[in-house]
Amino acid sequence: MKSPIPDYLDKVLVDIRADGDGGERADHIPELADAEPDRLAAVIVTTDGEIYACGDSDEEFSIQSIAKPFAYALAVQDRGWDEVHSKVGVEPSGEAFNELSMDCEGRPYNPMINAGAITVHSMLVGPEASPEEKLDRVIKGLSAFAGRELSIDERVCGSELDHAHRNLAIAHMLSGYEALEEEATDVVEGYTRQSSLLVTTRDLGVMAATLANDGVNPVTGERVIGGDVVKQVLSVMTTCGMYDAAGDWVTQVGIPAKSGVAGGVIGALPGQLGIATFSPRLDEHGNSVRGVALFERMSADLGLHLMHVPAMDRSVIRDITVIDASGGASGSSGEVRVVEVQGSIRFSGAERLVRQVYEGVNDGEFTEKGIALDLTAVHAIDIAAQTLILEILERLCADGKDVYLIDPDDVIPEAEARGDGTLTVIETREEL
């Protein structure tokens, strides 16, 4: 039996082609102006490494500005958030990607515009690093995101360097503000070579999925960057990734994204998937016309908008039963009230759980000396929920209850280290 997802992607590509051509290829870089205009691809990569590819997904093209969020991630990883933020802001500029724009503190507005990305490239590795070391860092780093070794398209690079007057002007302006850690010409060359890395839509899908997977490449299993860095990168992509069309993008698509003038677009939906599209024709903002249309279609069809409110479970509590635990392996005696929890638990779900247990005890409904929280049907639980649940269990212990945590998959790994030893962690209900 065949998965329906490839068929869905095929249909979407057919529909997008039928909607017309629209847009123009990037003409400020001669090599890009000669790109085949009818190329079209879409790729979905899940956070467990499944790849669904359709169209020209293995056709190579230069990464261009899609390198920016990944280089930003590497710089924050190398230098720390505070140091990078001291030189590059995080506010939307509301201007085109190649404007010479600075905030009132003399910083580029964000790392997604050229001024910010040039500054970010100069901050890779460390202040004493050579231009060669910075370029090596970004090539190896982006290759880790893609899960394969990437190389530079020397023809595109040469074409861009021959017409890099605007970026050179931006770099010299940044040098005037002492924002760069190397010569303006060196950083522009490194930044241009970074932008000239060859990728496929499949590569971009894996790179996006690595961001969606908290910095772990879902295909290779390699941790490329830390989770705190991912949160920062996705936040900036959400507000600044699509340049002066960022507001329209967030309202219509609602996925953290980044585009490039070669025609690529990526989107990373945290905890779910990465999406990549490719089509060389661009709109007035420098974003792929068909790429934007593909994302709008998939976001609507698949319910991917970040602000989409999912249907809520009626309760995180699956069932409550009272069992006779006399003579159990845990040493319990008498009756134990077992509260069975289900699903993926975040703060709001944990709050409902804690409230029901708290009210049950205070109202005298939970009369048994023993209380067990069964997490067998829980597949994920975030830090805030863990903290809240452990706190109520410790309070139950302090109130004299015999408290048990049934946690076969170790979804709360800190449980055994918490409390005064009266909390008992077991793997099955039979151990009570």
Side-chain angles (χ1 to χ4, degrees), residues 65-80:
S65 287
I66 298 176
K68 291 173 180 176
F70 301 102
Y72 179 56
L74 297 175
V76 174
Q77 186 89 354
D78 291 345
R79 306 291 290 272

Side-chain angles (χ1 to χ4, degrees), residues 224-246:
V224 183
I225 53 170
D228 288 344
V229 177
V230 171
K231 180 174 68 175
Q232 180 61 34
V233 172
L234 291 179
S235 297
V236 177
M237 286 171 63
T238 301
T239 57
C240 309
M242 301 300 281
Y243 306 127
D244 47 334

Side-chain angles (χ1 to χ4, degrees), residues 71-131:
Y72 179 56
L74 297 175
V76 174
Q77 186 89 354
D78 291 345
R79 306 291 290 272
W81 153 249
D82 290 337
E83 192 169 349
V84 175
H85 188 243
S86 70
K87 291 191 175 182
V88 183
V90 292
E91 298 295 333
S93 68
E95 297 177 331
F97 66 91
N98 58 358
E99 287 296 316
L100 285 75
S101 56
M102 309 277 278
D103 66 18
C104 60
E105 298 180 27
R107 301 175 303 176
Y109 276 103
N110 64 71
M112 301 298 116
I113 59 175
N114 287 11
I118 289 169
T119 305
V120 163
H121 183 88
S122 78
M123 297 189 73
L124 290 166
V125 186
E128 305 302 322
S130 68

Side-chain angles (χ1 to χ4, degrees), residues 173-221:
M173 178 190 68
L174 292 168
S175 294
Y177 283 94
E178 299 183 348
L180 301 185
E181 297 179 354
E182 56 189 302
E183 293 295 324
T185 52
D186 289 338
V187 70
V188 168
E189 180 172 353
Y191 166 75
T192 304
R193 297 185 75 79
Q194 164 188 303
S195 303
S196 302
L197 284 169
L198 281 170
V199 292
T200 66
T201 315
R202 187 184 298 264
D203 292 331
L204 293 182
V206 174
M207 295 172 79
T210 301
L211 292 176
N213 197 36
D214 202 38
V216 176
N217 186 308
V219 175
T220 66

Side-chain angles (χ1 to χ4, degrees), residues 387-401 403 414-415 417-420 422-423:
T387 302
L388 193 57
I389 289 172
L390 286 173
E391 183 66 26
I392 194 66
L393 293 180
E394 289 175 5
R395 294 188 181 197
L396 289 170
C397 289
D399 286 344
K401 296 285 188 181
V403 182
E414 294 185 11
R418 295 284 295 265
D420 58 3
T422 55
L423 171 62

